[in-house]
Amino acid sequence: MSNMFCFQCEQTAGCTGCTGKAGVCGKQAATANLQDELTGALIGLARAVSGEEPTASTNRVMLEGMFTTITNVNFDDEAVRRQIQAVHREKNALVPGCGCCSSHCSRTDDYDMKQLWEDNEDIRSLKSLILFGMRGMAAYAFHALMLGYTDEEVNRFFYKGLFAIGEDWGMDELLPLVMETGTVNLKCMELLDKANTETYGTPVPTTVPLTIEKGPFIVVSGHDLHDLYLLLEQTKGKGVNIYTHGEMLPAHAYPKLKAYPQLKGNFGTAWQNQQKEFQNIPAPVLFTTNCLMPVKESYRDRVFTTEVVEYPEMVHIDDKKDFTPVIEKALELGGYENDHPMTGINGGTQVTTGFGHGTVLSVADKVVEAVKSGAIKHFFLVGGCDGAKPGRNYYTEFVQKAPKDSVILTLACGKYRFNDLDLGEIGGLPRLMDMGQCNDAYSAIRVAVALAEAFQCGVNELPLTMVLSWYEQKAVCILLTLLSLGIKNIYLGPTLPAFISPNILNYLVENFQISPISTPEEDLKKILSK
């Protein structure tokens, strides 16, 4: 078995890249190489599309293929091979016989990803920003598609970006495409926000218990609200309770979802703790998206996957979405005999979510008045991905040490570091506001723009600082969105991406003043002294 090369996530080996027989995430070299082959096939599809009109089927195959390659999504070699075959079928449908015609011109050939990994480090860095950003964006576009929402500009960009990765382009051509990735991702997040709110209602502040009630239950992890909705429909009257996990927590704030009485609370904390928290769990776990970790023996008989998430020997729920096997496993296992108290990282017994742009902007007058009166002196957006690497306690300490006249906005699973803390209120507003999943960075942007308009200034002139944690590719596309909007002075950690070369890092520092995190005390002093 040949070695792998992968440096797309924050925990990559030695902060340089996973190059052996397996990655730090648990992905085997064979799987990593197949995912490279899948990416190369998608570039071949993009080459074919450059002269043709993609169909709805082509677009879905593109999204599924890109989504499959995100960290902690798919560990199943056969599943990746099926994706490669699906891409080739779509390409052949667009340009029948092109790859084997008598005057072969290589116009639609698959791309060999080794060419990218062995390229000049600055070109590799820019192409990696585009590729990894598009992978994250594909997940958002896929979730919207599952609710019947799509956007042709977003779809077209995937082909444009992938085509560019296969070309011999220089920095002058690639830099604008990096920024365009962020611009298109904003449109994609707006699309998903519309899909979620028009389908399930505008999120409202909701307190979510962390205690698991006695009796049969199912834990649902991931981001896909549509899968959760279908499971809630299929468990009506079955005596099975549903608990969210990880990035599914914000589902409790959507009126149409919270109306189901069997949606009870949240199980556990962030994704990287699942191997400990799921140990001998008396219930099944359904993974709808990342982040799936290698499954331990103590719960391997109760893990189910769906959509593009797959793991060898795990039961996969196909597109028919019949969750009967999951429900039957819940009834068989029976759940806890008594109520099972759980706590957050800091010992809290409940968390609150639902402070999306609809809620925050509905009280914008109170927020503006609190700023004008001096009650609120600073806003911090502290959020992003959580992860296992040491140093992420920085975010807990930062929130704890932030001045009491500041408001903490948060989103994504990074919030589990501190979302069970009681930070009190300012002027009737909670100091800690969970805006939702990682894609709800759109809400944070909407709020920031609205505040800038209210104070007649630019976003960079607001008393607002973004302190972000990153782990995988969705964080990349969100960062690119912020940069495309011209937002500066972002603090990023716990480490800087391995795929950003020194020259590209210097460019980001000089043009956007991105800073790596240091210590909470030093960073707060630096921020508040401005």
Side-chain angles (χ1 to χ4, degrees), residues 31-254:
T31 311
N33 292 331
L34 280 169
Q35 291 185 357
D36 271 359
E37 186 179 336
L38 172 57
T39 304
L42 290 167
I43 292 173
L45 179 60
R47 288 168 166 173
V49 166
S50 65
E52 307 293 335
E53 188 64 33
T55 65
S57 174
T58 312
N59 291 336
R60 174 154 183 171
V61 166
M62 172 61 72
L63 296 181
E64 287 181 336
M66 294 286 280
F67 198 171
T68 295
T69 59
I70 289 178
T71 304
N72 292 87
V73 168
N74 200 309
F75 294 81
D76 191 306
D77 291 358
E78 287 306 312
V80 181
R81 288 191 182 97
R82 289 195 298 271
Q83 288 283 1
I84 294 169
Q85 292 165 3
V87 172
H88 286 157
R89 283 196 300 271
E90 283 298 323
K91 183 169 71 173
N92 291 335
L94 282 171
V95 285
C98 180
C100 57
C101 73
S102 58
S103 56
H104 185 50
C105 63
S106 303
R107 186 173 69 85
T108 66
D109 281 1
D110 290 359
Y111 177 73
D112 184 354
M113 291 295 287
K114 288 183 180 179
Q115 294 181 59
L116 174 57
W117 306 142
E118 296 173 0
D119 208 338
N120 167 276
E121 66 174 357
D122 294 334
I123 298 301
R124 182 178 70 171
S125 184
L126 292 174
K127 287 187 175 182
S128 294
L129 280 167
I130 296 165
L131 175 60
F132 301 157
M134 288 193 301
R135 285 177 174 175
M137 182 164 56
Y140 299 152
F142 181 85
H143 296 319
L145 182 63
M146 293 304 96
L147 295 175
Y149 290 72
T150 188
D151 183 277
E152 283 308 308
E153 180 184 345
V154 173
N155 291 335
R156 272 288 178 187
F157 183 76
F158 290 113
Y159 304 108
K160 178 180 181 179
L162 284 169
F163 181 88
I165 289 167
E167 295 297 295
D168 186 21
W169 288 5
M171 292 182 65
D172 290 344
E173 294 162 298
L174 292 171
L175 268 172
L177 201 57
V178 170
M179 292 297 108
E180 189 178 353
T181 306
T183 300
V184 176
N185 183 60
L186 178 62
K187 190 174 185 67
C188 188
M189 290 194 297
E190 180 182 17
L191 177 72
L192 181 53
D193 178 81
K194 181 180 180 181
N196 286 338
T197 55
E198 290 188 354
T199 305
Y200 302 116
T202 299
V204 296
T206 302
T207 299
V208 182
L210 302 182
T211 293
I212 311 304
E213 296 182 12
K214 65 179 181 180
F217 68 97
I218 298 169
V219 175
V220 186
S221 189
H223 304 70
D224 200 297
L225 299 182
H226 183 57
D227 283 329
L228 175 62
Y229 166 73
L230 294 174
L231 182 63
L232 289 168
E233 275 290 297
Q234 293 178 37
T235 52
K236 286 193 297 189
K238 298 286 180 67
V240 176
N241 290 329
I242 307 298
Y243 292 86
T244 56
H245 173 263
E247 280 275 61
M248 197 64 81
L249 167 63
H252 290 273
Y254 287 87

Side-chain angles (χ1 to χ4, degrees), residues 268-340:
T269 53
W271 67 273
Q272 77 276 1
N273 301 317
Q274 65 188 256
Q275 291 177 326
K276 176 178 65 177
E277 293 176 344
F278 290 166
Q279 187 170 353
N280 297 313
I281 180 177
V285 182
L286 174 65
F287 282 89
T288 66
T289 63
N290 55 322
C291 294
L292 170 65
M293 295 179 71
V295 180
K296 297 293 188 180
E297 189 63 36
S298 71
Y299 60 91
R300 67 181 298 110
D301 66 327
R302 56 207 68 181
V303 169
F304 295 80
T305 62
T306 192
E307 296 300 355
V308 299
V309 190
E310 295 199 48
Y311 195 89
E313 300 179 11
M314 302 294 104
V315 177
H316 186 73
I317 306 299
D318 63 21
D319 288 348
K320 296 178 182 177
K321 297 296 181 182
D322 181 359
F323 291 115
T324 299
V326 189
I327 297 168
E328 289 179 344
K329 177 61 75 170
L331 293 169
E332 172 195 331
L333 292 171
Y336 294 109
E337 293 183 0
N338 301 294
D339 288 356
H340 182 74

Side-chain angles (χ1 to χ4, degrees), residues 438-469:
C438 54
N439 46 281
D440 291 310
Y442 175 72
S443 276
I445 291 168
R446 283 282 303 273
V447 169
V449 170
L451 287 174
E453 291 175 352
F455 290 105
Q456 298 182 327
C457 66
V459 170
N460 291 316
E461 299 172 90
L462 288 171
L464 167 68
T465 304
M466 298 189 180
V467 184
L468 306 181
S469 56

